[in-house]
């Protein structure tokens, strides 16, 4: 996919009933000729090539080709296979990570595990002196505690895996040399040394590639992804509200295609949030050179955005389960509050998304969603009091579910606003006036 916002791209240049464009690039007018359309697609492809995932894939593929090149040259193929050069290429493929924090941690753990596994392989081989039965018995004894730490320690999994792989490779290669009957072969120490040396080559190659053009820090990527998620949540909320009002005005229910597209957009947001939970964990591993990472604020922010997504999905399910009478009541309250409550909710989410992307401080005066929710909740409650005959209906619980989810959604958005205020700050005109008095 060349663009993460495919729906916005498809609507680019199209105008709504008020004559305003749905989505457009502020730097240029929408392409109008075939020539402009061609270069617009070239621009989209170029932007995709500059994305983190595409650049990471390109660097990994290029590094793998360069490290594998000696295997295809006649003058170097012999020593490449004699030294097991594929260990370096495998190490490069396994250890290339797009984020600096994860890459730094895995370098430490995997190099340590490789050295530890090589030393253990030498010890096991020297104790049993190449006896196959002794190798099986002693390897079983050594693997026992390693598997215990593998299943009980979350942070040591990579260390244990590399220790086990190196231990088995060193012993198996040396045993193959012995049983092959070759007059000369490498000792167990040389095999272990080659393994460690080639792993270091793969680590060095991956470290160089990770710095070109510059390492991607998890904290910056987390902030950008949260900005995109909040923007997508705003879009999803607008679609949900618009669907309820459209169904009320036109007496038409959403089609299967619209429901499928809504579920697809929701699933995409859920995947983004899953990535953001991972970025919070990985960002703690990056060295705090310019200052400490506010991990607790980001963790709380991701949790609140996650809750907002769940509540929004609950609102969508509840609105689809009510009958026409309760949906009409719901639409009437929304029409009354669309210029205050609904417009403010959408504006706040768009503002938070733009603020996180640009790192600009929030304005000093803003409406709080917590304050506005009371009026919206009163409107929903008033409908219940005015329609006592519908309380026994099967779909009334769906209406109540929508009201509760909507109320809690405002609470979560208020806490998201507080988190963003802690991250980017708030402009203070009074302080500026005092400084320039």
């Amino acid at each position: 996919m060349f663009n993460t916002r495919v729906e916005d791209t498809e609507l680019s240049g199209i105008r709504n009933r008020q004559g305003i464009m749905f989505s457009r690039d502020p730097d240029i007018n929408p392409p109008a000729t075939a020539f402009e359309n061609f270069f617009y697609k070239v621009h989209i492809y170029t932007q995709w090539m500059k994305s983190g995932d595409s650049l990471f894939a390109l660097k990994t593929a290029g590094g793998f080709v360069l490290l594998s090149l000696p295997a295809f040259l006649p003058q170097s193929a012999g020593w490449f296979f004699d030294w097991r050069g594929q260990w370096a290429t495998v190490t490069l493929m396994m250890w290339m990570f797009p984020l600096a924090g994860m890459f730094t941690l895995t370098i430490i753990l995997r190099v340590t595990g490789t050295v530890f596994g090589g030393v253990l392989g030498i010890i096991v081989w020297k104790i049993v002196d190449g006896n196959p039965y002794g190798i099986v018995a002693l390897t079983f004894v050594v693997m026992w505690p390693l598997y215990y730490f593998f299943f009980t320690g979350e942070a040591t999994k990579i260390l244990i895996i590399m220790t086990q792989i190196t231990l088995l490779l060193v012993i198996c290669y040396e045993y193959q040399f012995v049983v092959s009957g070759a007059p000369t072969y490498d000792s167990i120490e040389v095999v272990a040394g080659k393994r460690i040396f080639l792993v270091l080559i793969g680590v060095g190659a991956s470290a160089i590639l990770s710095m070109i053009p510059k390492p991607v820090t998890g904290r910056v990527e987390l902030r950008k992804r949260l900005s995109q998620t909040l923007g997508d949540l705003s879009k999803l909320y607008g679609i949900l509200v618009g669907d309820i009002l459209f169904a009320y005005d036109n007496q038409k229910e959403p089609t299967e295609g619209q429901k499928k597209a809504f579920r697809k957009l929701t699933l995409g947001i859920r995947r983004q949030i899953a990535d953001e939970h991972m970025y919070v964990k990985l960002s703690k591993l990056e060295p705090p050179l310019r200052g400490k990472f506010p991990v607790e604020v980001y963790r709380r922010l991701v949790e609140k955005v996650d809750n907002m997504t769940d509540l929004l999905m609950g609102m969508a399910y509840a609105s689809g389960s009510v009958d026409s009478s309760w949906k009409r009541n719901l639409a009437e309250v929304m029409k009354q509050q669309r210029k205050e409550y609904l417009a403010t909710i959408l504006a706040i989410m768009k503002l938070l998304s733009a603020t996180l992307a640009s790192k600009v401080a929030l304005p000093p005066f803003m409406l709080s969603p917590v304050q506005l929710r009371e009026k919206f909740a009163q409107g929903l409650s008033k409908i219940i009091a005015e329609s006592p005959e519908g309380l026994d209906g099967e779909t009334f619980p769906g209406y109540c579910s929508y009201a509760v989810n909507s109320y809690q959604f405002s609470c979560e958005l208020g806490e998201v606003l507080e988190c963003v205020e802690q991250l980017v700050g708030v402009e203070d005109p009074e302080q500026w006036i005092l400084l320039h008095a």
Side-chain angles (χ1 to χ4, degrees), residues 428-437:
D428 191 351
E430 296 180 3
Q431 188 66 28
W432 186 92
I433 294 172
L434 291 175
L435 289 174
H436 294 81

Side-chain angles (χ1 to χ4, degrees), residues 374-409:
E374 299 296 337
K375 191 173 181 180
F376 185 69
Q378 290 174 4
L380 295 175
S381 302
K382 183 180 178 181
I383 292 295
I384 297 177
E386 293 176 352
S387 307
E389 67 281 356
L391 302 184
D392 296 333
E394 296 181 356
T395 62
F396 175 67
Y399 178 86
C400 295
S401 176
Y402 184 93
V404 173
N405 285 331
S406 178
Y407 188 87
Q408 188 61 32
F409 183 85

Side-chain angles (χ1 to χ4, degrees), residues 71-89:
F72 300 94
L73 300 177
Q75 61 270 28
S76 57
W79 65 260
F80 182 88
F81 289 104
D82 181 57
W83 275 71
R84 303 294 189 273
Q86 60 268 26
W87 284 347
T89 58

